[in-house]
Structure formats: C-alpha cells, structure tokens
Amino acid sequence: MQDITFNDHSGLRYLPEYFARASQEALLEAVRSVVAEAPLYQPAMPRTGKPFSVKMSNCGPLGWVSDIKGYRYQPLHPDTGRPWPAMPDQLKDLWSTLAPDAPPAEACLINFYQASARMGQHQDRDEDMFDAPVISVSLGDTATFRVGGTNRKDPTRSFRLNSGDVVVLGGEARLAYHGIDRVLAGTSTLLKNGGRINLTLRRVTAA
Ligand code: MD6
Ligand code: FE
C-alpha cells in the first residue's frame, strides 16, 4: 500500500490498492447484501428534477438523498420507506483506521456508475460538521477523478481510481471540489457486468 499525500491539496490522501482483490470481493458481497435490502434508486437534481446518471443507495444510520426538494440526509430509503441497512464491518474498520480521531461514520453513500455515467464537480457539504474526513472506496471499472481546491475556479488535477483504491478528503481538502469525468469500461473484472461502485463514508452530525 502506498500513501501519496499531495502537498498542493493538504488533507487529500490517495491510497492505491488499499484493498487487495480478495477484500474487494468481500466488500462487493457486503454491498450486494445492502442493495438487496435497500435497492439502488434514481436520484434527481434539486429544482429541475433532472435525473442523475448515477444510481444510489446507502447504508448506516443515515443516507444521502437528492430529489426535486433538495439534498439531505435521512434515516429512511426514499422508495421503500425502510431504514438503511447496517454499515458492513469492513467499512467501519476502514473508517477507524483512517479517521481514528473522528466519531463513527454515520452514512455510507453507494454510487453505481454504468458506462456513460459521470459526476459533476461538487463539494461534499451537506454534513453538519467538516472536522471528519470523507473517505471513498472504488470497486470495479477505473474512473478518472478530478480534484481542485475549495473554490470552483482553482486549478484541478486528475488521476485514475482503480478497483480497491481509497481516497480521503480531510483537512483543507475536506471541502475541495471533485468529480468523476468518466468511467473506463472494461478495465476491471470485479463486476460481472462491468460498471463502477464508489462508496463514500461520512460523519454527518456533530458528535
Ligand atoms: C466517485 N466520489 O468517486 C465520487 N466525495 O464516484 C466522491 O464524490 C467523493 O471520492 C468525497 C470524498 C471522496 C470521493
Ligand atoms: Fe463527493
């Protein structure tokens, strides 16, 4: 495992191959169980109601949702009305390893990308506190991740996120703009039918 801390975005950590193949498979199994109970739903943009190209679900006590009314965290699945499934142990362990000083993660957003899906540049700022980092795990096809600074116009850099890679946005980089330019189809054999899953772990409420 390497630990490359980019000095021009302090608090951004890129941990390539954090999870080896066997751990990726175990994590994927855990995600499948979550999604069996909390099916992927189609989020939509606030105000316009335009659908996202990414489908989503969540696990943990809170889940991030977006619909015509806005972005928010809520304890219930928007379609089924049931609580989100528990967070898998592998993700709790990841959080306690990489964010040892933070209170427990409350939400894990599951993003599912098929071939042409992408995610525009955004800040993760729907949480009540920004002291804890946001930690992401990528599974399946490689994606190009673009990250800038805390102002939309700041210069950006992009790098590839492969299956098993972990990204931490903490410190100053907690509110850095970032997004997914594209997913490179056929780059991983982890998901039988291709595509990419990204898991983002967050603390939502002040402890
Ligand atoms: C993605 N990731 O990789 C989108 N957010 O599909 C994110 O939006 C993200 O990777 C916060 C921290 C790390 C991330
Ligand atoms: Fe994000």
Side-chain angles (χ1 to χ4, degrees), residues 22-155:
S23 306
Q24 295 171 37
E25 285 168 0
L27 199 45
L28 178 62
E29 228 17 74
V31 171
R32 285 199 199 289
S33 307
V34 167
V35 171
E37 202 178 320
L40 293 167
Y41 67 91
Q42 178 72 73
M45 288 298 289
R47 295 189 310 280
T48 63
K50 184 177 184 287
F52 283 40
S53 58
V54 174
K55 291 191 170 57
M56 297 181 172
S57 186
N58 289 273
C59 55
L62 291 172
W64 187 86
V65 299
S66 181
D67 61 20
I68 199 153
K69 290 178 286 186
Y71 305 133
R72 63 194 173 275
Y73 283 95
Q74 61 181 46
L76 304 177
H77 190 293
D79 295 340
T80 68
R82 291 198 300 263
W84 302 106
M87 198 163 317
D89 287 340
Q90 296 104 308
L91 296 178
K92 289 186 188 166
D93 292 347
L94 174 70
W95 182 264
S96 51
T97 302
L98 295 180
D101 302 326
E106 293 171 301
C108 174
L109 173 64
I110 300 168
N111 288 152
F112 179 64
Y113 296 73
Q114 271 158 321
S116 61
R118 53 185 293 282
M119 184 165 303
Q121 291 290 119
H122 65 276
Q123 292 171 296
D124 284 32
R125 56 177 314 147
D126 298 321
E127 300 74 32
D128 295 341
M129 58 99 121
F130 305 126
D131 308 339
V134 178
I135 298 178
S136 93
V137 184
S138 294
L139 295 172
D141 284 338
T142 298
T144 48
F145 182 72
R146 180 171 297 283
V147 58
T150 51
N151 294 302
R152 206 179 261 285
K153 289 177 181 154
D154 288 341

Side-chain angles (χ1 to χ4, degrees), residues 54 109 111 113 119-120 122 124 133-138 143 145 161 167-169 174 176 178-180 196-202:
V54 174
L109 173 64
N111 288 152
Y113 296 73
M119 184 165 303
H122 65 276
D124 284 32
V134 178
I135 298 178
S136 93
V137 184
S138 294
F145 182 72
L161 296 182
V167 171
V168 182
L169 294 187
R174 174 64 180 76
H178 60 277
I180 294 294
R196 172 175 184 263
I197 294 169
N198 181 261
L199 310 171
T200 42
L201 297 163
R202 303 103 189 280

